[in-house]
């Protein structure tokens, strides 16, 4: 008779409850029987996959909004999120990937028009103190990095990270010889463009672009140390990928109206302009073009310091020749207009008393 009746599938709430129990079990380390533990972990893997199916559908049936709401409420109500974060290193790669998709989806789920994840993370910001150091472990760096990027979608979380001790460590993570990890950190600094260099190439970028008012406050308050590290560690890096991401992100930051005061300060620095001049000499066209969009801000600055005017005037001939020959592969009216404006500005500059001989490293593109 038993074969005539199928067991009733668990409700979304029961599914989360069962998952929570197995997560606690996996973290307890009290099970001495290896076979028994393996069975429990396999059951946990299946439950995470079942949760993913509820949130995303199975390819044939669309997800139920009511089931998603129930699951989301239970997931955050009983701190299952924290348990899952702690347990991720013990899961196999497939389960980690499913867990990452689950967490990404839950960040966007609304219950009664409220983003439950945002409210939960605002009250549990210390979870970022678990996730971000994960960049130091190559085994879990990709997983923790992906989850970190999803969490900083919420402004309170981004603000916490920007003001935390972790911020300075990102520059160290970017020097990681593991390319995927370094790329993932760069990705966390901006919202990813449609053309990804790598799947993981999306934290530093996300962090420094999405929440404009929060980022503007951070950059103003931390200008000196941040741009000193940014210039030396990223813009002057020996890595092409690092330089490329850094100059593109710098342009995005400086051209954002929220960062107007930061932009004026940055383009008033002779040291910063020297770095741009060196990047204009880069062998890679993509870096040259992105540098062009930053360099034009120095030239367009109507309150140029005398030392910057002196450099531009002294090297006027070289600069005019360089920009007259500087072209891109496709037609772009805005690029041509910007280039013409730069040429005009440099050609019309008036000399100052200071000469280039008074300054070191006055190299310009040839």
């Amino acid at each position: 008779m038993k074969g005539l009746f199928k067991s009733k599938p668990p409700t979304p709430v029961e599914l989360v409850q069962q998952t929570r129990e197995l997560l606690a079990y996996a973290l307890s380390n009290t099970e001495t029987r290896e076979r028994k533990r393996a069975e429990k972990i396999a059951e946990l893997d299946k439950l995470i996959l079942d949760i993913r199916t509820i949130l995303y559908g199975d390819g044939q049936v669309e997800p139920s909004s009511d089931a998603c709401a129930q699951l989301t409420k239970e997931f955050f109500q009983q701190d299952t999120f924290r348990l899952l974060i702690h347990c991720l290193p013990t899961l196999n790669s497939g389960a980690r990937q499913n867990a990452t998709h689950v967490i990404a989806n839950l960040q966007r789920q609304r219950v009664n028009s409220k983003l439950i994840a945002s409210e939960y993370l605002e009250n549990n910001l210390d979870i970022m103190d678990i996730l971000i150091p994960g960049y130091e472990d190559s085994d879990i760096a990709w997983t923790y990095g992906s989850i970190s990027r999803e969490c900083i979608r919420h402004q309170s979380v981004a603000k916490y990270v920007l003001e935390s001790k972790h911020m300075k460590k990102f520059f160290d993570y970017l020097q990681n010889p593991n390319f995927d990890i370094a790329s993932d950190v760069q990705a966390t600094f901006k919202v990813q463009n449609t053309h990804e260099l790598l799947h993981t190439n999306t934290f530093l970028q996300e962090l420094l672009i999405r929440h404009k008012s929060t980022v503007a406050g951070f950059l103003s308050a931390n200008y000196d140390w941040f741009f000193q590290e940014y210039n030396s560690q990223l813009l002057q890096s020996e890595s092409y990928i690092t330089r490329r991401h850094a100059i593109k992100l710098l342009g995005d930051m400086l051209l954002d109206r929220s960062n107007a005061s930061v932009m004026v300060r940055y383009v008033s620095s002779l040291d910063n302009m020297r770095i741009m001049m060196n990047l204009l000499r880069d062998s890679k066209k993509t870096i040259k073009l992105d540098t062009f969009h930053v360099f034009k801000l120095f030239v367009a600055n109507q309150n140029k310091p005398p030392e910057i005017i002196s450099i531009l005037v002294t090297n006027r001939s070289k600069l005019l020749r360089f920009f007259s020959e500087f072209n891109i592969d496709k037609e772009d009216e805005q690029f041509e207009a910007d280039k013409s404006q730069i040429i005009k500005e440099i050609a019309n500059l008036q000399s100052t008393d200071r000469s280039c001989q008074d300054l070191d490293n006055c190299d310009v593109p040839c």
Side-chain angles (χ1 to χ4, degrees):
M1 291 291 290
K2 287 184 178 180
L4 297 177
F5 300 96
K6 291 184 178 179
S7 59
K8 186 179 178 181
T11 65
V13 170
E14 291 170 341
L15 202 58
V16 175
Q17 291 172 345
Q18 293 171 20
T19 301
R20 185 162 56 244
E21 291 174 4
L22 286 176
L23 287 171
Y25 167 86
L27 290 170
S28 66
N29 292 320
T30 58
E31 181 60 68
T32 57
R33 294 168 296 176
E34 197 61 38
R35 182 177 176 182
K36 179 70 172 177
R37 182 175 178 80
E39 290 176 353
K40 291 288 188 180
I41 294 298
E43 186 179 345
L44 175 59
D45 292 351
K46 183 180 182 305
L47 287 171
I48 294 173
L49 177 58
D50 290 343
I51 290 176
R52 175 178 174 172
T53 301
I54 287 178
L55 293 172
Y56 287 94
D58 61 4
Q60 296 179 329
V61 180
E62 291 293 313
S64 162
S65 57
D66 184 54
C68 290
Q70 292 179 42
L71 191 152
T72 302
K73 187 175 181 181
E74 180 67 21
F75 195 93
F76 288 110
Q77 189 168 282
Q78 297 298 325
D79 217 13
T80 307
F81 186 96
R82 184 183 295 273
L83 280 173
L84 181 55
I85 296 299
H86 278 296
C87 199
L88 281 171
T90 69
L91 302 178
N92 62 44
S93 59
R96 285 184 194 175
Q97 187 173 18
N98 286 330
T100 302
H101 284 293
V102 165
I103 290 172
N105 188 290
L106 289 171
Q107 303 304 312
R108 299 164 174 80
Q109 289 290 339
R110 294 183 180 272
V111 178
N112 297 326
S113 301
K114 292 174 61 178
L115 275 174
I116 301 297
S118 181
E119 185 177 297
Y120 170 85
L121 288 169
E122 189 169 354
N123 294 318
N124 294 272
L125 291 169
D126 63 298
I127 282 179
M128 300 308 294
D129 299 329
I130 303 170
L131 289 170
I132 294 177
Y135 277 115
E136 298 174 11
D137 184 344
S138 59
D139 289 337
I140 60 171
W142 189 92
T143 301
Y144 274 17
S146 297
I147 294 171
S148 295
R149 291 200 308 278
E150 292 296 334
C151 290
I152 61 173
R153 293 172 60 87
H154 308 293
Q155 189 162 5
S156 60
V157 180
K159 186 174 187 294
Y160 176 79
V161 173
L162 285 168
E163 296 175 351
S164 74
K165 61 183 180 182
H166 304 298
M167 197 59 202
K168 291 185 179 181
K169 290 186 177 180
F170 282 121
F171 292 100
D172 295 328
Y173 298 152
L174 281 164
Q175 310 307 316
N176 196 308
N178 184 320
F179 180 72
D180 282 348
I181 295 175
S183 296
D184 193 81
V185 176
Q186 291 170 0
T188 307
F189 270 10
K190 173 183 177 197
V191 177
Q192 179 65 354
N193 295 321
T194 53
H195 302 292
E196 296 181 324
L197 290 177
L198 287 175
H199 175 67
T200 56
N201 240 358
T202 60
F203 187 91
L204 187 55
Q205 295 173 313
E206 175 81 17
L207 188 61
L208 291 173
I209 292 295
R210 178 177 289 275
H211 306 289
K212 298 183 183 301
S213 61
T214 298
V215 171
F218 165 79
L219 292 176
S220 295
N222 298 274
Y223 180 93
D224 290 332
W225 78 260
F226 178 82
F227 282 108
Q228 181 179 353
E229 292 294 309
Y230 198 95
N231 288 349
S232 62
Q233 300 271 27
L234 307 187
L235 291 176
Q236 296 175 293
S237 170
E238 293 183 1
S239 164
Y240 158 68
I241 291 294
T242 298
R243 294 197 310 277
R244 177 175 176 178
H245 280 278
I247 190 61
K248 177 66 168 67
L249 176 57
L250 178 65
D252 290 342
M253 287 191 291
L254 297 183
L255 287 166
D256 193 307
R257 291 183 179 180
S258 300
N259 299 325
S261 61
V262 172
M263 183 270 285
V264 170
R265 186 173 177 182
Y266 191 89
V267 302
S268 297
S269 164
L270 176 61
D271 288 338
N272 293 341
M273 192 174 78
R274 284 172 175 155
I275 294 172
M276 294 306 113
M277 285 182 162
N278 284 329
L279 287 172
L280 282 172
R281 296 160 58 90
D282 200 283
S283 61
K284 303 295 185 181
K285 287 185 176 180
T286 51
I287 290 181
K288 284 184 177 181
L289 179 58
D290 286 330
T291 302
F292 166 81
H293 290 303
V294 176
F295 184 77
K296 69 185 182 184
L297 299 176
F298 288 84
V299 178
N301 181 11
Q302 295 304 302
N303 296 299
K304 300 179 191 66
E307 60 268 29
I308 285 182
I309 295 176
S310 179
I311 289 286
L312 295 174
V313 170
T314 303
N315 297 280
R316 192 196 317 264
S317 297
K318 289 182 179 180
L319 287 168
L320 292 177
R321 183 171 65 251
F322 171 80
F323 285 114
S324 66
E325 298 172 354
F326 182 49
N327 296 298
I328 56 178
D329 295 333
K330 60 181 180 179
E331 290 188 12
D332 187 325
E333 292 183 3
Q334 186 60 54
F335 167 77
E336 293 298 335
D338 289 343
K339 190 175 75 166
S340 296
Q341 187 61 34
I342 283 182
I343 291 174
K344 180 180 178 181
E345 288 279 350
I346 294 175
N348 292 335
L349 279 174
Q350 298 299 312
S351 180
T352 62
D353 292 333
R354 295 192 65 185
S355 68
C356 188
Q357 282 71 28
D358 296 328
L359 303 165
D360 297 327
N361 301 321
C362 294
D363 213 357
V364 297
C366 298

